[in-house]
Every structure is written in structure tokens, then in C-alpha cells.
Amino acid sequence: MLLAITIWIFTLITVILFTDLVPEMLELASGQWFPETASVHGAIVDAQFFNTLMVTGVVFILAQVALGYLVFRYRERPGQTAYYYHGSNKMEWAWTAATTVLFFVMVSMGYGVWLDVYVHAAPEDAIQIEVTAQQFAWNIRYPGPDGQFGIVRPELIDDAAGNPLGLDPQDPTGEDDLVVPTMAIPVNRPIELILRSKDVTHNFSVRELRLKQDTVPGMMIPLRFTATKTGKYEIACSELCGMGHHRMRSFLDVLSDQGYADWLEDQSEF
Amino acid sequence: MATIAPSLPKPKAQSPGGSGDGFDQGGSGGDGGHGAGRPKSLPDRRYYTGMMLGLAAILMLFAAFTSAYVVRKGLSDDWQATAVPGILWLNSMVLLASSFTLEKARRWRQVQARFQGWWWATTGLGMIFLIGQILAWQELVAGGVYLNTNPSSSFFYLLTGTHAVHLLGGVMALLYLSWRVWRRNSGGLGATALGVTALYWHFMDGLWIYLFLLLLIGR
Amino acid sequence: MADAALTSHAVHEAPTGFIRKWIFSTDHKVIGIQYFFLALFSVLLGMILSIFIRFNLVWPGTEIPLLETFFPVGAPGGVMTPEFYLSFLTMHGTLMVFFVLTTAPQGGFGNYFLPIQIGADDMAFPNLNMLSFWFTFVALVVLLAAFFVTGGAPISGWTAYPPLSALGEIAGPGLGTGQTLWIVSIAIFCVAALLGALNFITTTIDMRTEGMTLMRMPLTVWSWFVTAILGLLAFGVLLAAGILLLMDRSAGTSFFIPGGLVVSDQIIDHKGGSPLLWQHLFWFFGHPEVYIAILPGMGVTSQLLSTFSRKPIFGYRAMVYALFGIGILGFMVWGHHMFMSGMSPYTAIFFSLLTTVIAVPSAIKTFNWLGTLWRGNVRLTTPMLFAVGFVSLFVTGGVSGLFLNQPSTDIYLHDTYFVVAHFHIIMGVAAIFGIFGGTYYWFSKMFGRQMSEFWGKVHFGFTFVGVYAIFTPMHFLGMAGNPRRYAELTGFDFLEPLASIHLFITIAAFITIASQLIFLINFFWSLFKGKKAEINPWQATTLEWEIPSPPPHDNFAGKLPVVYRGAYEYSVPGEPLDYSMQTAPKTAES
């Protein structure tokens, strides 16, 4: 075993030098492993993650050290006899109670932010944007000046003719709808996304905004958030959706109010 | 190092034909290998245990179908109730009657002629039920209600079909046991074989009543 | 007593023909070995697939000439296409979960040792036992056939979420015939697993020898028993889900396929189905399945820790209750796989709380294992090393679970490499450590020869360090947001800086996999050339250590043992040896 571990340590050192792993890890660690959050709820999600990391980190280290210590301390030696002991109910109750309390307190702290994102209704002035996923692209739809999404009909869908959502030309509310492949939103304004899918289950995720939600065909799933930092973020698919899953990418631009207004104007001109 | 405990006295050889003798009546009676450790009646009990567990697994299959039924019906706006063919009432009667005749057969286990009569009656009623189910499906097809017409009809075919496959298994078991009696040319069957078969048969009967009510009321 | 057509109990002479003895055998020991080798074949295949998976992540677009020879369509010019990657990923998961983790610890060791450890001469239904093995075998053949049909193996992952898995070839390659074969294979596997579970439970309830009360059963038996109960209740549901999916694919029904789908500009003629329905049914099976994989490992670990600490297991009853607690709760937590699926957010909190409850019995088990080591006299044999490794991995995989059972943190971590790290450590590697521990421990009993302890320890060293080297960095990938199931990592800017971590993982994986050759060589060399085994080389107390290695055809040569003691009576004060066999009357010399 010593042989194996020696070889391993040698190999690990070689590999670490070879792959620049250390600087890489340090770089990630300096960003606290998470990319800097750019949404209101993201900060709370991160806080919950680090609370959990603290608690489980202590549990993890104590358990592993105890395991190693016990194996070493009570390794077989001449003259040592094992203690004939079947356990203690007091101990069982003690650690059952302790873990129950610890875990429940820790877990309950995280439900507030969950309710914020998924349950509490969006404020009146939230900007509604519809996201429709398909193999392997994102279609982003803005309701336009009338604030209403036009009717879509699956039978009218024609990617080649530039109608990926199947907008009905007969429907007046759909005339001003804006359908684009990338998303832009204003900073510090509540946003409500409505997630849909044309074909299979996808997942809309933006890691900087701490957003992740399946887009399920046949369902319209709301997702609420407020971005706090301008920037250009990548939208990735996080649910296996077929052969192009790994390249199903789009962008989310968080812009200033003025930038957003300009962007909308630019898009409408086309 | 090994210390095999001294073998306890073997239990008395099981009396041929007595109750609690497993599947085989004309068999060899006692079994030396089981002698030492295990109480004598236990080798029979395992057939009941096994059957109960098998039924639990079948129950889970149908529980899953039922929850799918409830969820699918609750979620959809395309559900159209499938009219239950009238012949199912008749089929239900037939199946209920078969449970009755099977019990009769069990009671007359020791009396060959009567046993045979009730046993074949049960087998026959089981077959009539299956034919009746086929007629019910034909009635639906004639009315233009297919497997893929509507979720309601999908579930109708799925539930009745899965039940029919299981009941067919029961009919095969009845036939197999008849064949064994005939081959051995010995009187009757062991109580365990009968008991386990009856357990399965009555369960299929009860399951059918449940499915029938589900299709009737839950449609 | 019983009929030869239904059970072979009446026949106590060993069958003489090769076919009855080694192929269509009803002897639980032979069937156990058959399961073991089936799992060994599957794990080797699954491991080879993972080599290609890791290779493609780090060096996409590289030519592998050998690959083209076998798969000219999937790897034209020897270069893996994304769909070919996904088909390997699907098959890796399916093989490992079903044909290794479900098969080896339960079908293999459980079959071989459960009857012996409770003092029975065979399983309750030997013919059924044979049938379940051969169903499993057919399921494996059908699954592997998917590699060689048009379109190749399915690409929908081992979870086969519809509509992707329900729409057929139009949704992607491999989703035609390949996906159908996958479903059929799983359905056959379900039947096999149900038959096996039924047999295990009946055997435990009705076949225990005199004196083998429930609370004297080894914890291995308890874990196989609870695992079988889980299997009995879970596989029926997967079978139901499989039937529904098959009907959606080939009979035109719409259980899982919603209306208005447009795939590649083509309208799909289905309406009203619910993709979430599949997820509920699948995970109702899928979560207990996790415990089906890990519980036998817990049982083996308990057995080994007690044996090699020369000390009774700490808190035997608490261990049994914890097993049942995990088993029952295992059926109530499936929704934690679906926090991001679009189900009700209130339901998510409900499942999250229940999942937290299940962490408690898991913690109890860990504490009891540590308690067993405390003041023991620890013999660091190879099986013991793997048992200690199991506890370490169980702790590691357990604490990472506490991040994923909270819907709020799962928002970020869902479907990233953090999840990959978590489940590989806890249900993959920990369970495999249980299997390795069991193999090193029971090899002598099963094959009559000893494996090399030295090479066993070398193997442990490589594997233990190796799995941590592979899976620890994956947590960091997850924290950096790297999604799982990506065929290539070239499509996103934020994945680029992670390339060196992936390279490290791939190299670590290659070395770890290569070091498994140590095990294989040790295994097969010992099979033929190993030192002849004694009856009780580990000085253990349970019943299998009272009979010859390998045991005779009916285990106890016609005399079933009588049990007087619990399973873990080590270092009993006043007794001459530091282990007291279960069959030794208590009146000894004390």
C-alpha cells in the first residue's frame, strides 16, 4: 500500500505541475469558486452555499480525522485486546438528536430565497420576456409596446421562413412582438421570464445570475429575478436535450436603462 | 475451528396426503436435509410468503399505473371519458363466480370427482372472462375507440390488458395443476398448491373489481 | 417434501452434467458466481466507456483508429461524434447502475452468502433464482445489442427523460431502435429484479435455521433483506413507466408527450401528455435504486469493521433501525431529483425536508462505524482497508448531498459536475468499495483459494487515492458551473479556464482504471494459483466460516447448524479465542 501511495503522490505532483492545476484552483478560489453573482437572489444563494460549506466542512473534517485517528490509534498490537462493548443507547440518542437539529437548522435557512425566486408573485412593473427553447437554440420574445404576447400556433412554425415560434399573422397583438436569438434586460429592474419549449425538455441557466430552470414542453414556467450588474453572460442548456446539448448557447446582456432602450429600438428596426 | 452443531433429531416424516405437505402428495415424505434446524411446517410457508410478495410487486405495478392515471387525467384538457362496454358487467360476474367455484374445489380437495368438476369450472370461467375481455375490446374498436384515440382509452386498454395477461397466468397455473393431477393419477392436490393458487386467483379477482370501478367511476 | 419441478430441495446430490452444474444451475452459490461475473464483465465494459468519455472531454476531435474499426458510423475516421459520446454516456450509466451496482452486491454476494449466513441449504425458490439470473443475462444482451443497430445506442442518458426518449429517430440518433432496445432491456431487468427480490425476502423470512432469530442475523443479511424489499416495491414502478414509454413510442399513445410539439419543423401528432409524469415514476424507482446500490455495501462494511476490529458492532439494533429508516424514507424523497423540473415549488420544500430526515439514519450509521473502531484491535487487512475506505467515501458523498438537498443551493448546482461528483462518490465508488471489500473477504470462501494480500493493499492504495483524485476536482467544476452531459467543452467561454482541471481528472481516471489491472490479475491468478484457503482465515464468527471453502453443494452437508449467539461476538471476556462462532453455545467456559 505504501508503494501505491508513494507512486500516487509522485504522479499527482507531476500531473499538478504538468496541468497548471494549482494556479487554476487558486484563480477559482479567489473568485470564491463561484463567478461573482449578478442578481439579487444570487447573493443569498451564495450565502446559503457558504453556510452549508462551513457546517458540512466541519462535519467532514471531524469525521475523516476521527476515522483516520481511530484506525491508527487502535491498530493491532501485541497485548491489545478489543473492548467487548455493544454500544450505548444514550450515545445513539445523542447523535441522532444532534444531527437532526444541526441539519434542519441549516437546511431551513435556505427556503426563503427559494420562495422568492419561485413562489412570490412578480411585482406589477416586472418586465415579461418569453424564452422558448428548441433543439438547439433559444428564442427570446419581447411583447413589444402593447405589452401583450401574440398567439402562437405550432402548425405555423417555420424556422426557415423566420417564424420559429409560429406567430399568427392574423393576431394584432402579435404584430409588434420581437423575436430574437439573444436576450437583453435592464439592470436593477424586476424581470419575469416565461419558459417554454418547442420539442424536448431543456434547461435555461445563467450561472452569474444563479438562474436555472427546466423548460418543459407543454408547460409555461415563470422565473423571477433582478439583475444587479451590467455585463454579457452566457445562457447554457443544463438538461440533456440531444446531440447538440453541449453547444446550445445564447447570451444575456444586462444593460443600463438607456442601453436597454437603445437596444430595443435597434432590434425593432429590423 | 469449525464447529458444526450436532444435528438434532430429524422430524417425523411428513404424512403423505396430510395437510401442510407442500405441492407434492406422492412425494418422498420427509426431507433429511432440512431436518436439523428448521421447524417442520416452514418449508410450506415460504410458498405463501413468496406469493404474497409477488402480489405486492404486482400491486406496485398497478399502483404506478393508477397514479399515472390520476396525474394524466388531472393535468390534461384532452381527456374524454371512454364508455365502459356493457359486457364488462357480465365479465365481472363471471370472474366473481370463478372465485366461488375455486373455493368449492378447495373444499372438495379430497374427493376427486367433485374436485375435478369445480376445478374445471373455475378454469372455464377464467377462460370465459378472457374471451369476454376480448369481446369488450372488439366492441370499443367497432365504435372507433382505439388504444391511441384518447388518454382515457389508452388507460382502458392498458389496465384491462395488463390484468388479462396476469389472469392468463392464473388460467395456465390451473391447467398446469390439472395436468399434474392427471399425470400422477393420484388423488387431489396438496393444500399448499391449492392455497397459493387460490391466493393469486382471488387477488386477480379483487384487482379486477378495483380496476372496473376505476374505469367506471374514475373515467 | 417439495416438488422437484418447483424446487430442487428434494435433490441433495450435486448435479453432474456441466450444463446443469455451471450454466442452468439452481445452486445459489453457482448463481451468485454467475451474477458476479456478469457484473465483472459489465463493470469492465462500463469502465472502457468511461475512458472514451474522459478522453473526448479533454481531446475532442482526436482520431482513435480502433474506434472506427468497431463503430464506423458513430466514430467516422475514429473521431467521436457528440451523439456517439452521449450514447457511451447513456450506456455507461445504464451498465453501471443496473448491471453492476444492482447486480454484484445483491445478486452476486447476496445470492451466495445470504442462505449460508442464515443457515439454509439454498434459496427458498432455486428455480426462480436461476430464472432471475437468466432474465438479467438476456436484459444485458438486449442492452448491448443497442450498440449495433441503426443509429446506435440511445443518447437520452440513463434517466431517459421524455419527450427526448419518446419521440424516436426524429429527436436524435440512437433514439429509434436503440432507445426501444434500451426500454425492453430495462423491462426484462425489472422482471429479473422482482423475481430476485421476492426470493431474497422469502428466504430471509422462512429459511432461517434454528436459533437464527432476526436480531442474530448478520448485518449483511439485514442489508440484503432491506434492499430486496426496496427492489420489490421499486422495480414494479419502473416496469410500469417503461411500458407507458414503450406505448408512447410505438402505439401512438400520449402519456408523456405533450401536444403541439414541433421537432425540426415537423409537427408531432401527440397531445396532452406530461413529461413530469415520467420523472415522478422514474425517480420513485430511481431514488430507492440508489439505496439498492449502497445498502449491501453498508452491510458488508459493518461486517468487515466488526470482524477486523475484533469487536462487536457498535449499536447493532440502531444499525438495523437505520437500515429500515433509510429504506422507508428512500421512497419519500424522489422529488429532490426534480427541484428544477417545473414541479410545484412547495413540493420542493416538502421533499427537501424529507431528504434532510434521511441524512439522519445515514449519520447514525457513520457514528456507529466509528464507534465500532473505537477501542478495537484493528487488523488492517485488504478487506478492512476497503471497509474503512467505504466509510470515508460515504462521509464525503454524504456531506456533498447536503448541498443538493436544498432547493436554493441546487439552483446553482443542479446538473453540474457537483452532482456528478456527489453520486459517483456515494453510490458509485462507495458501493464499489463495498464490492471490493466483499470480494477480498469472501474470495477464499467462494473459490477455495486466497487472494494476495500484498497486491490487494497496493490495489487499495491506488484506488483510494485515485477516486479522490478523480472526483474531488469535479466539485470545483460544479462550483464553477460546468454543466454535466456536455459532449465537448469547447462551446462556452466560461468552460475554457476549466480545461486543466478536466485534464487532471482524465489523467487521474486513466491511472486509476489502469490500476484496476492489479485487481484483475490478482483475482484471476489467485483463482488458479492462489494459496489454498482454510475454513476460517479471517477468524470470523458468521456461519459461512464454519463450512469448507468452497462449500459443498447443499452448504451444510445435510446438517443445518443451530445458532446460539449474535453475529458479532468478538473478544468476549473469559472465552479462549477473540471470536466466538454463532454456533458455539453460550455455556462455554466462561
Side-chain angles (χ1 to χ4, degrees), chain B residues 3 29 34 37 45-46 49 72, chain C residues 1 9 124 206 210 254 272 546:
Chain B
T3 43
H34 283 280
R45 207 180 69 183
R46 70 187 143 149
T49 314
R72 181 67 178 81
Chain C
M1 172 221 83
H9 276 247
D206 285 341
E210 191 178 321
S254 302
E546 310 221 7

Side-chain angles (χ1 to χ4, degrees), chain C residues 12 21 23-24 56 62 142-143 230 237 255 270 292 330-331 344 392 413 440 457 497 505 530 574 576:
Chain C
H12 274 283
K21 193 172 174 187
I23 311 289
F24 294 108
N56 196 61
T62 312
V142 172
L143 180 74
L230 293 185
V237 176
F255 296 112
H270 283 272
I292 288 172
F331 279 105
S344 154
S392 167
L413 298 171
Y440 284 107
K457 287 176 183 174
I505 293 172

Side-chain angles (χ1 to χ4, degrees), chain A residues 8 24 33 35 48 52 64 74 76 80 82-84 86 92 111 114 119 198 207 212 214 234 237-238, chain C residues 262 310 315 340 346 352 368 375 377-379 392 396 406 412 414-415 462 479-480 486 493 497 569:
Chain A
W8 252 118
E24 196 51 55
W33 301 309
Q48 180 62 14
T52 310
Q64 300 285 7
Y74 297 106
E76 187 177 33
Q80 174 176 267
Y83 175 35
Y84 181 71
H86 284 96
E92 302 288 349
Y111 293 137
W114 171 256
V119 177
K198 273 162 70 173
R207 56 180 205 134
K212 193 169 282 173
D214 279 4
E234 284 173 301
C237 180
S238 290
Chain C
V262 179
R310 317 307 295 163
M340 301 300 131
Y346 294 110
S352 164
N368 280 313
R375 294 187 66 183
N377 190 24
V378 178
R379 292 182 185 167
S392 167
T396 310
Q406 306 181 50
Y412 187 69
H414 173 79
D415 253 15
F462 272 106
M479 287 191 256
Y486 271 23
D493 296 338
E569 291 298 286

Side-chain angles (χ1 to χ4, degrees), chain A residues 96-163:
Chain A
T96 305
T99 44
T100 310
V101 171
L102 182 68
F103 289 168
F104 271 93
V105 169
M106 185 188 75
V107 167
S108 323
M109 292 192 306
Y111 293 137
V113 59
W114 171 256
L115 295 173
D116 280 344
V117 179
Y118 282 97
V119 177
H120 299 154
E124 288 281 308
D125 61 340
I127 297 172
Q128 282 204 324
I129 303 167
E130 186 196 74
V131 178
T132 306
Q134 72 178 75
Q135 287 182 331
F136 303 97
W138 300 96
N139 304 288
I140 318 293
R141 180 157 70 134
Y142 292 80
D146 67 349
Q148 277 186 303
F149 291 110
I151 295 169
V152 290
R153 300 183 192 284
E155 59 273 17
L156 297 175
I157 287 177
D158 192 342
D159 282 343
N163 191 2

